[in-house]
Amino acid sequence: MPHHGNEEEHNSSHDQSGKREEPVIRDHRKVDPVTGEARHPEGGQSSAPEADSDGDALAQAEEILNQVEVPAEESVAQGTEAAVAAELKNDLLRLQAEYVNYRKRVERDRAVAGEMAVIGVLNSLLPVLDDVDAARQHGDLADGPFAAIATKLENALKTYGLTRIDETGVEFDPTIHEALIQQPGDDIEVDTVSQVLRSGYKTGERVLRAAQVIVAVPA
């Protein structure tokens, strides 16, 4: 039977028995259209190592991220502890300052209370001192046991800071003197205490009683 074309192609289309061979169709798609799973070429290497490699990469990336986050968490924790410690320290310093102020206030109040108590006692004894002065001016305390008692009393009161205001010839000071009488004086340029009618007293800078005086004024 005559034929056309290449002899080899004509012969290759028949097997040795004379039957015609069916063409072979090879499916090279990488994804099975039925199962949807990936196909692996025969004799080829499985992609499982690639999956493992991808898993290892993800694990390494996660580990790196965790390593980055851990110091941040530690930093936040340390920052929180430092803030709490600083707050406690400030509270302690504030309490200490309040305690110091409280002690100072208590000591100041105690000192003021003690001073007021002494002033109260001294004020109550001023009339007694006036009687002692009057007796001394009349000569009743020139000698004898009462003179000694009066001297002891005055010395004891001096230990509490009691000071007598009875100087004459000094410039009149309205803070410690009470002018009862004013008299023109010769050669007087400023108001001057010429006579003390009743002694005044002070303790420290506090005037307990102003001295009653006669003041000489410029003529």
Side-chain angles (χ1 to χ4, degrees), residues 109-119:
D109 293 344
R110 185 182 294 117
V112 171
E115 182 180 357
M116 295 304 297
V118 171
I119 290 174

Side-chain angles (χ1 to χ4, degrees), residues 26-174:
R26 298 181 183 279
D27 189 354
H28 296 286
R29 290 177 291 182
K30 296 182 178 180
V31 177
D32 191 329
V34 178
T35 63
E37 297 180 355
R39 291 175 175 176
H40 306 293
E42 296 179 359
Q45 296 180 350
S46 173
S47 62
E50 295 181 359
D52 294 341
S53 176
D54 292 340
D56 292 342
L58 291 175
Q60 293 177 0
E62 184 178 1
E63 183 178 0
I64 292 173
L65 291 177
N66 291 335
Q67 290 177 355
V68 172
E69 293 175 357
V70 167
E73 293 176 357
E74 291 180 355
S75 177
V76 171
Q78 293 176 358
T80 302
E81 292 178 358
V84 172
E87 184 176 358
L88 292 176
K89 182 178 180 181
N90 292 332
D91 292 341
L92 179 61
L93 292 176
R94 184 170 58 254
L95 290 175
Q96 183 179 8
E98 291 178 356
Y99 176 70
V100 171
N101 292 333
Y102 169 75
R103 287 190 58 184
K104 289 181 179 179
R105 185 169 60 253
V106 169
E107 291 175 358
R108 183 173 61 251
D109 293 344
R110 185 182 294 117
V112 171
E115 182 180 357
M116 295 304 297
V118 171
I119 290 174
V121 173
L122 295 178
N123 281 327
S124 64
L125 292 176
L126 293 184
V128 178
L129 295 177
D130 291 339
D131 294 339
V132 171
D133 288 341
R136 185 176 287 116
Q137 290 176 4
H138 288 83
D140 296 336
L141 293 178
D143 197 4
F146 290 105
I149 294 173
T151 301
K152 288 181 180 180
L153 175 61
E154 292 173 339
N155 291 334
L157 295 178
K158 286 180 181 179
T159 61
Y160 290 95
L162 185 65
T163 304
R164 186 189 296 270
I165 304 174
D166 59 352
E167 292 181 291
T168 59
V170 297
E171 184 178 352
F172 175 79
D173 185 353

